[in-house]
Amino acid sequence: MPGQQDASVFRIPPYHYLHVLDQTTNVTRLETGPQTFVRKDNEVVLLNPERMITVPPRHYCVVLNPVLRDADNQVLLDNLGQVRLQHAEDEVRLQQEPFPLYPGEELKIKVTLLTVVPALEALRLKVSRDFTDTNNQERKAGDEILFEGPGTYVPRKEIEVVGQHKAIVIKPNTAIKLRATRETVDRNGKNRVAGEEWMLKKYGAYLPGVYEELVESCTATFLTDKVAVHVIAAQTFTDETGKQRKSGEEYLITVNEMETFIPDVYEQVVGKVNITTLTNRQYCVIVNPIGESGKPQLGAKKLIKGEISFFLQPGESLENGIQEVFILGDNEGIVLRAQEAFKDQFVTPPVDRQPGDKWMLKGPMEYIPPVEVEVVSKRRAIPLHENEGIYIRNTNTGQVRAVIGRTYMMGEDEELWEKNLPTIVRTLISAQRDTAADRGDWINPNKEKKKKKDDLEDEEVFDASRVVTFQVPHNAAVQIYDYKSKKSRVTFGPDLVMLGPDEHFTQLSLSAGKPKKANMIRAIALLLGPDFSSDVIVVETSDHARLQLEISYNWHFEIKDKENSQESSKIFCVADFVGDLCKAMASKIRGAVSSVTFDDFHKNSAKIIQLAVFGTDQETRKARDVIMFPANKLVVTSVDIRAVEPVDQRTRDSLQKSVTLAIEITTQSQEAAARREAERIEQEARGKLDRQRIMDEAQAEKARKELLSLQAESSAVESTGQAKAEAISKAEAARIEAEAGVQGARLRAEAQKIETESELERMNAAREADIRFAIENNNIEIEKAEKMAKIETDKFNQMVTVLGRETIQAMASGPQDHQVKMLQSLGLSSTLITDGRTPINLLNTAGGLLGNMTQGSLPQ
């Protein structure tokens, strides 16, 4: 409590204590309770009453600077009466009576529960100072001790707890690898040196020693018929099977040796090896196989044929993996090459093969190549239609030939040869392009390169080993040049052209556009026409008027004898016949227009251009109809002027003004003629209108006259016929009314008759229905009564039959017999019993009684 140290009287409860400082001697002493302590003036209470320290069972505490005690456990004091302390020492105190802390003592570790070490666990202890344990064994500082459970660990001041270990449970098919950290003896009593490793495979709980550490836990590998383990020895040792393994030796552990495998300390598992299984249609080649001595034969090969299953030994590998047996059909073959000298037993008779020999086997057959043979390729016969072919190259001679129209299988010294065609030619001979229909599409090499870059994915794969074919359309020609024989041939369509190995198409580079530009169109088929070409040229008249003309030329090639190769080849003499034609025509037209004025050319442009193009016949002095170019047999048949436009703006404006003025003049003349015609038509219409008005008036007067006469007649008829009409109408009305009354009476009578008959029929039907119902109901009741009577009769008969005649008779006479017997017992001959309320005719009764007597006395 605050300020309690200044008090003079201190009440110390039981099991409490306090420290008092004597300021005269400067000695601190201990006062324990129960007592009432009176402080002196020279004393100071340093510690208020505190509860003594109680250590319960299975607990401990550590006191720092404990007091010294003698043999009788008494506290030792110095000369001044101060308790003697063991400075910087620790004292572990266990269960005991409550004790106080002397002046100078400190509670280093509060009261703590003792550590209970369960089974399969241990405490790792480290000696901090030398001491001798209870077994008289000297412990040096730095030693480590393992306190194994089950048990309760009691601390010592010379030992500190480093950690806690748990036992390792070794399950079946598992093991642990241990390593010695210093020289020690394991639990099996075997001496171990520092760094030594060993395996422990006995399953159960294992608690490593203090100088043992767990390296790893190993799980067994289950070996089956399909799985083995590849192992390498780290050093020379003897394995579990008793075999001595050399350092670095690689070997295979299979199920034939053990079912489960746990690697030893000196074994390293490289990996699992799966079984290799070959069917009867498979084979494989093992490289560096293991020989009979168990050593690998480096550089050797071994052929394994199916059906078989085996494990690849360490160092062995499969060349090209598992391979299928070569099954060759009728149209298949296989090309082989010998890698080393051997005797081929597969063929009959056997043949000695030398390295590098090449041969071919044809089907049908099955073939497994030996290790000395390399399979170069497998070939199949190529079926070819009569319009198909392939290029074949002989690898020995280099000769290239074309095989067309038959099924062909290449030999061992033959290969497919790819013909080198320019990209533009591939595009022109594409099957998706029609030479005649697509002649308006320009095929330009630069555009094709750009299109190829944009559409790489859509590009069709071109087989250059196939014979190049091209369908020449109708009315077209193709020139083919043979670079080997240096000859050319021309083929006219429709036909199919097939190129030989040394043949190429002659490409045409034509002009296109308006005005014409050279090398705009590439083609290999020359259309013979008739066709047209358009061009735009600029001409200048004699009065220096510049005009732009758009002209079209109709042309065709005229070939009289197509069988004559010399004449046919002329059409290909001019590579750009379109450009040549347009240039020649433009030159002639410019020369002709330059000699005439603009006005003359504007009026006679067609005549001037036709005369300039075709010229005049020297004999007849008339304009020709056609013109022929003898170099390439090109014939122009007509010229069409499609447009004429001035180039100079002033000329164009003056021409526009003149045309506009001509149009205005024509328009005004047409307007005047139309005006005069309208006036004439108006006068004629006005005369017809007046005449029609006069005729209409005459007709109206005639109609008025007839109307008046008809009105007079109608008035006379009206006056005389009104009375007659009224009398006739009344008589007719009376007649109709009478007929209607008669007809109504007749209809009412018929309706009443119908109603009466229907009611009568209804009543008859109802009565008949009631009668039928009553009859059927009576029949049912009768049938029911008969059945009930029969049931009662059968019941009575059965009861009578069951009871019997005697029983019924006894039952019937039972009451009377009982009464008789009772009267006889009473001595009475007869009796009469009444309830007193019912009157009794005693006369009749007496008569009855006496009747018997009378009847009995009559005979007397």
Side-chain angles (χ1 to χ4, degrees), residues 112-172:
T112 307
L113 183 66
L114 291 173
T115 303
V116 178
V117 181
L120 303 180
E121 292 187 10
L123 291 178
R124 189 181 186 90
L125 309 177
K126 186 175 183 180
V127 179
S128 60
R129 64 179 71 176
D130 299 344
F131 75 100
T132 302
D133 60 9
T134 56
N135 298 327
N136 294 324
Q137 184 178 357
E138 292 185 358
R139 301 290 185 178
K140 300 294 184 181
D143 288 348
E144 294 184 355
I145 308 172
L146 206 62
F147 180 82
E148 300 180 8
T152 301
Y153 170 68
V154 179
R156 291 180 61 101
K157 64 180 181 180
E158 300 87 1
I159 298 176
E160 60 182 8
V161 179
V162 179
Q164 187 174 2
H165 292 178
K166 291 185 178 181
I168 302 171
V169 179
I170 304 175
K171 299 179 181 180

Side-chain angles (χ1 to χ4, degrees), residues 528-534 551-558 577-578 580-586 588-589 609-610 612-615 623-630 632-640:
L528 302 180
D531 206 339
F532 69 93
S533 296
S534 299
I551 303 175
S552 295
Y553 311 101
N554 289 337
W555 55 264
H556 68 274
F557 288 94
E558 185 174 341
F577 73 93
V578 175
D580 184 69
L581 167 66
C582 293
K583 289 178 182 178
M585 294 301 177
K588 292 182 178 181
I589 293 173
I609 291 176
Q610 288 183 357
V613 170
F614 298 111
R624 296 193 185 98
D625 296 333
V626 296
I627 183 173
M628 175 182 287
F629 293 86
N632 58 349
K633 301 292 184 179
L634 179 64
V635 178
V636 180
T637 57
S638 64
V639 179
D640 180 20

